[in-house]
Amino acid sequence: MTDTLAAADWQAWQRSWDRQQEWYLPDREERFRAMLDAVEALVGPEPRILDLACGTGSISDRALRRFPGATSTGVDLDPALLAIARGYFAGDGRITFVSVDLRDPGWTGRLPHPAYDAVLTATALHWLRSDELRTLYGQVAGVLRDGGVFLNADHMPDPDTPRLNDADRTYRKERQARAKAEGAQDWVDWWGAAAADPVLAEPVAERFTIFGNPADGDHADGEVQSASWHADALREAGFAEARPVWCSVSDAMVLGLK
């Protein structure tokens, strides 16, 4: 497998992942910009970053381009996405990847550093149940230095605006249908293409063993909460300040300051 992986076009796989994610999140780059603006404002332009549930390293990619003096640790459980991340960043000594399960109580013990300036995550933690997320927020507080910042951008609809939520959901589905008709890949399509590629077939098979095949249906058991719920949970976990700092109709980004 090593020789096959070494021959892969990791740039192409990274671009493919970004395009698939943008099918769901057309404002994806906007939330990344707002995230990194907050990082620079609060901890400066050379942060030590923990990229939580990093996937292919999308956040780290943008952070290291914006902050050349930064370093990053990417953690995830998905072997296929980690294969892409490791291939894409091969030779860049500023970043390290670690395979961890965020549900494992001891996952922080596998990190290469005892403390971080910024812990960043996007469109990932909705896979966790609310009780698991509360526990995770406490663990995140434990690996942030005093004055460090945590940012979570994810699905955080407001239950108090049901008509707006319904209209936005309808609009997004119509937009996605148009893009799909023009050849855009969705989540199931992307994983099907990855499984069919000899380069990624083995790590994708491992991924399906862990999470299930997306073609067989959504196996996630996570829970979606509002931005205010996340802010309250962060304060309960020990953050001195917490609030939403960016939002769309369906998504938001919540900041916790240690």
Side-chain angles (χ1 to χ4, degrees), residues 38-246:
V39 170
E40 185 170 7
L42 289 166
V43 299
E46 296 187 355
R48 175 183 288 172
I49 295 168
L50 176 59
D51 189 347
L52 198 66
C54 66
T56 65
S58 297
I59 292 174
S60 292
D61 184 31
R62 287 147 181 84
L64 295 177
R65 282 191 273 124
R66 175 162 170 173
F67 308 129
T71 58
S72 183
T73 303
V75 298
D76 206 297
L77 183 61
D78 190 314
L81 299 186
L82 283 175
I84 294 172
R86 289 183 172 118
Y88 180 76
F89 289 97
D92 190 337
R94 298 173 297 171
I95 187 164
T96 302
F97 292 99
V98 183
S99 177
V100 301
D101 185 346
L102 296 179
R103 292 184 173 97
D104 179 352
W107 71 268
T108 60
R110 302 193 60 191
L111 299 175
H113 305 292
Y116 289 84
D117 301 308
V119 180
L120 311 177
T121 187
T123 327
L125 301 188
H126 61 274
W127 289 85
L128 299 177
R129 298 193 307 271
S130 298
D131 60 328
E132 294 170 331
L133 193 55
R134 289 183 186 276
T135 298
L136 181 66
Y137 281 170
Q139 294 168 323
V140 168
V143 299
L144 270 174
R145 67 165 174 82
D146 288 342
V149 62
F150 170 65
L151 287 141
N152 176 18
D154 210 340
H155 307 316
M156 300 181 189
D158 187 337
D160 294 330
T161 58
R163 289 186 298 166
L164 176 59
N165 297 347
D166 287 345
D168 178 66
R169 188 179 303 110
T170 299
Y171 171 76
R172 285 187 287 110
K173 287 183 177 179
E174 291 173 350
R175 176 188 56 78
Q176 290 172 348
R178 291 192 299 269
K180 188 78 181 294
E182 295 171 359
Q185 285 183 323
D186 64 10
W187 179 254
V188 173
D189 295 336
W190 191 89
W191 281 108
D197 192 313
V199 168
L200 285 173
E202 186 172 335
V204 168
E206 295 175 13
R207 193 264 182 202
F208 289 173
T209 299
I210 297 170
F211 298 106
N213 188 331
D216 297 332
D218 187 357
H219 296 270
D221 60 356
E223 297 171 322
V224 176
Q225 301 286 1
S226 69
S228 61
W229 182 94
H230 286 270
D232 289 343
L234 287 170
R235 284 188 286 267
E236 292 169 6
F239 286 85
E241 300 178 21
R243 55 161 287 186
V245 292
W246 175 92

